[in-house]
Amino acid sequence: MATGQDLLRRSHPAADEDPDRLLVAAGEAEKPRRAKRVASLDIFRGLTVAMMILVDGAGGEWPVIGHAPWNGCNLADFVMPFFLFIVGMAIPLSLKRIPNRLLAVRRVVVRTLKLLFWGIILQGGYSHAPDKLSYGVDMKHIRWCGILQRIALAYLVVALLEILTKDAKVGDQPSTPCSIFKLCCWQWILAACILVTYLLVIYETYVPDWEFTVHNTDSQDYGKVFTVACGTRGKLDPPCNAVGYIDRQVLGINHMYQHPAWKRSKACTNNSPHEGPFRKNAPAWCQAPFDPEGILSSMSSILTTIIGVHYGHVLVHMKSHLNRLKLWVPMGLALLIFGIILHFSHAIPLNKQLYSFSYVCVTAGAAAIVFSIFYFLVDILGLRTLFLPLEWIGMNAMLVFVMAAEGIFEGFLNGWYYESPNNTLVYWIQKHIFIKVWHSQRVGILLYVIFAQILFWALVAGVLHHLGIYWKL
């Protein structure tokens, strides 16, 4: 029987990643030949999709797992960076044997457009699933940004750079940390340029006073116009940061997200971090829109994808388990610790909505550590069976994302009701099978999300995997 040391030293060639099964990699040039997959990457992707379903479904009842109202980092705030990290890791895996550069570029562009299309449909406002039995969007208020749109941008930029710099890497098999960094030198140069530009813009842009109209029909201030006083630069607070200012100028305030997490902040509601009615003396900006996936923050998010690319190159070019972990784990810990220091020293706060540099470091470091743990448990120790539900989700991630995380399947079920739109199968299952049994709204909703959504779709994905059926982008 092989010892743990033998397992660590055994050669393990990097597996090709099938791009058509990736939720977030979504398109890496030519479809590679079938090969053994990296199970830990599938499992990590499945975990990330499951986390999204959990925080979307139960975050309202459990604010500790929902998005932080402003500064800070809760469970939900790790979802987007984990997706982007997986994007980066998948790019070297899927592009390493593409001989035709023009074909690779075409595939990358086409899949980017597909991601943008689904992002507009699902998060631009056209789909109202799962609660409202309607569809359609007023083009004056369509939201242009979103999760898939950000993934598309990061993927497009980093994948094109990988293609353009690929010739020098063909046949090169570096085996030292310095060689890996040299291999990714253009990615790190791009990362440095993005970071410097982001910091200059966010701290040097002058933010003038601005105004907005309340479009929430449930608000007593519906139709009123409010003015937000700023006239400053370098602020990272909700109303006067450069991220929101650039989005208002470029996207237009009516095309931004109407329900930002800051509405649950202490400045806005006494129920913070829960949702609740605004305080009587709440500042005007509490009712204003803000896009957490806007232009400047999406530019910063490319940094997470570049870090993922570095980890992907380690997987492709380092052939020893031990050597891979020696590069992955220290770098992940360094990023995590550095980001925490930046936050608690008050130099740069953790902030998902601004996608601050400390947030990049902490979340990318966490992604690196989580992936390394899965890699050790699954690809080295062989404990793959324990994580099969997550692996199934990860192999059909786009399907589960659309049907469960975006509520399309529940929206379909809600279309079949008895006497009242509130009396649906989904509502009945939540109320009678979960909430009443546990005599708790919070516990019942949490268990409903875990069993009726995550586990259910894991089993569906498992059946589809057995049949060889995948949602391909």
Side-chain angles (χ1 to χ4, degrees), residues 127-134 403-415 421 424 426 430 448 453:
S127 171
H128 301 160
D131 299 322
K132 296 181 180 180
L133 301 180
S134 62
M403 293 296 176
E406 292 300 312
I408 298 300
F409 183 69
E410 278 194 354
F412 169 77
L413 291 181
N414 285 344
T424 66
V426 173
Q430 288 179 344
Y448 167 79
Q453 291 188 311

Side-chain angles (χ1 to χ4, degrees), residues 394-435:
M395 297 177 76
N396 227 325
M398 188 65 184
L399 173 72
V400 180
F401 173 83
V402 171
M403 293 296 176
E406 292 300 312
I408 298 300
F409 183 69
E410 278 194 354
F412 169 77
L413 291 181
N414 285 344
W416 303 83
Y417 57 88
Y418 186 75
E419 293 185 343
S420 169
N422 294 324
N423 190 20
T424 66
L425 178 61
V426 173
Y427 174 79
W428 188 91
I429 291 174
Q430 288 179 344
K431 180 178 179 181
H432 295 281
I433 297 181
F434 292 96
I435 296 175

Side-chain angles (χ1 to χ4, degrees), residues 331-359:
M331 184 176 177
L333 289 174
L335 286 168
L336 188 63
I337 293 170
F338 184 58
I340 291 174
I341 292 174
L342 287 176
H343 176 71
F344 285 101
S345 65
H346 304 291
I348 303 177
L350 283 168
N351 192 294
K352 185 262 182 187
Q353 299 184 70
L354 300 178
Y355 219 100
S356 63
F357 181 54
S358 59
Y359 176 74

Side-chain angles (χ1 to χ4, degrees), residues 275-344:
E275 292 185 8
F278 290 129
R279 300 169 57 173
K280 292 183 178 179
N281 61 341
W285 56 260
C286 288
Q287 300 190 69
F290 180 87
D291 211 306
E293 282 88 37
I295 296 172
L296 187 58
S297 57
S298 291
M299 185 176 73
S300 177
S301 72
I302 296 174
L303 298 174
T304 304
T305 310
I306 291 174
I307 295 171
V309 167
H310 180 85
Y311 275 67
H313 277 293
V314 171
L315 186 60
V316 169
H317 295 288
M318 304 292 288
K319 301 306 179 182
S320 164
H321 290 312
L322 183 59
N323 288 338
R324 289 170 179 170
L325 291 174
K326 281 182 177 179
L327 290 180
W328 285 339
V329 175
M331 184 176 177
L333 289 174
L335 286 168
L336 188 63
I337 293 170
F338 184 58
I340 291 174
I341 292 174
L342 287 176
H343 176 71
F344 285 101

Side-chain angles (χ1 to χ4, degrees), residues 262-283:
W262 74 25
K263 295 189 176 185
R264 295 185 285 106
S265 64
K266 292 181 180 179
C268 297
T269 175
N270 290 321
N271 293 336
S272 180
H274 291 271
E275 292 185 8
F278 290 129
R279 300 169 57 173
K280 292 183 178 179
N281 61 341

Side-chain angles (χ1 to χ4, degrees), residues 25-70:
E28 290 84 10
E30 187 177 58
K31 184 178 180 180
R33 297 188 303 268
R34 284 193 176 277
K36 183 179 179 182
R37 294 172 64 91
V38 182
S40 51
L41 191 58
D42 281 327
I43 291 168
F44 187 26
R45 186 183 304 107
L47 172 70
T48 306
V49 176
M51 285 170 54
M52 171 172 272
I53 297 171
L54 178 66
V55 299
D56 284 351
E61 298 293 335
W62 299 83
V64 68
I65 68 173
H67 291 292
W70 192 245

Side-chain angles (χ1 to χ4, degrees), residues 97-298:
R97 289 188 294 105
I98 304 301
N100 189 318
R101 179 180 293 180
L102 291 178
L103 178 61
V105 171
R106 184 177 69 84
R107 292 292 181 89
V108 166
V109 172
V110 168
R111 285 192 169 103
T112 298
L113 293 175
K114 289 180 179 180
L115 277 175
L116 291 173
F117 170 79
W118 281 106
I120 295 296
I121 292 294
L122 296 173
Q123 295 181 297
Y126 185 84
S127 171
H128 301 160
D131 299 322
K132 296 181 180 180
L133 301 180
S134 62
Y135 62 89
V137 58
D138 182 352
M139 293 299 292
K140 290 183 178 180
H141 300 283
I142 190 172
R143 183 187 175 205
W144 297 116
C145 298
I147 295 171
L148 293 181
Q149 294 93 311
R150 171 171 286 178
I151 290 172
L153 173 65
Y155 167 70
L156 177 66
V157 171
V158 181
L160 289 180
L161 182 60
E162 179 74 11
I163 294 170
L164 294 175
T165 61
K166 184 174 174 53
D167 285 347
K169 303 168 188 175
V170 176
D172 189 18
Q173 297 293 327
S175 58
T176 67
C178 290
S179 300
I180 296 294
F181 276 99
K182 184 178 180 181
L183 192 65
C184 301
C185 65
W186 285 108
Q187 283 86 349
W188 291 117
I189 291 173
L190 173 64
C193 293
I194 289 174
L195 177 59
V196 170
T197 302
Y198 172 83
L199 294 176
L200 285 175
V201 173
I202 202 169
Y203 286 109
E204 295 299 326
T205 300
Y206 177 79
V207 181
D209 298 349
W210 54 282
E211 63 180 30
F212 68 96
T213 303
V214 177
H215 294 294
N216 182 9
T217 56
D218 296 327
S219 172
Q220 62 181 3
D221 295 320
Y222 173 70
K224 291 183 179 179
V225 178
F226 291 96
T227 299
V228 180
C230 287
T232 185
R233 71 178 75 242
K235 295 291 185 180
L236 302 182
D237 56 6
C240 298
N241 60 79
V243 172
Y245 171 68
I246 290 175
D247 288 340
R248 290 190 295 271
Q249 296 300 114
V250 178
L251 300 174
I253 195 168
N254 291 337
H255 298 286
M256 297 167 62
Y257 187 49
Q258 299 295 318
H259 307 285
W262 74 25
K263 295 189 176 185
R264 295 185 285 106
S265 64
K266 292 181 180 179
C268 297
T269 175
N270 290 321
N271 293 336
S272 180
H274 291 271
E275 292 185 8
F278 290 129
R279 300 169 57 173
K280 292 183 178 179
N281 61 341
W285 56 260
C286 288
Q287 300 190 69
F290 180 87
D291 211 306
E293 282 88 37
I295 296 172
L296 187 58
S297 57
S298 291

